[in-house]
Amino acid sequence: MPLKIYFTGEAGIDVGGVSKEYFSLIMKELFNPAFGMFKFNDQVQLYWFNGQSFEPNINFELVGTLMGIAYYNNMFVDMPLAPACYKILLDQEPNL
């Protein structure tokens, strides 16, 4: 079953736009440098895991789960991670 998103207090039928907005908003918040899970590299315009984060591993699993749900629902949201991050998330050996 595809995911259907409804925002409280907003009248809207989810035919893709509301879901895309949801995933965009949540990913923007998760990748916010103030949140501390990821660091942004200005030179290459990509995010990388913050090695000094005190976030438990389950929070990083949440990011991966949300990425998987977005992909499953054909929602292509902006997640500018370094290619090595995707390999780590897929439990593959990154090649730098």
Side-chain angles (χ1 to χ4, degrees), residues 16-71:
V18 179
S19 293
K20 180 157 179 61
E21 180 183 4
Y22 170 78
F23 283 112
S24 294
L25 290 172
I26 197 152
M27 289 301 174
K28 183 178 179 181
E29 187 65 29
L30 288 172
F31 284 93
N32 184 345
F35 192 55
M37 290 180 66
F38 298 92
K39 286 185 177 180
F40 187 71
N41 185 328
D42 288 322
Q43 293 177 325
V44 293
Q45 299 291 304
L46 295 173
Y47 287 92
W48 186 254
F49 299 109
N50 182 358
Q52 299 173 339
S53 174
F54 293 109
E55 294 294 324
N57 289 343
I58 193 74
N59 288 356
F60 289 97
E61 289 180 32
L62 167 68
V63 174
T65 301
L66 287 170
M67 290 168 64
I69 292 171
Y71 178 76

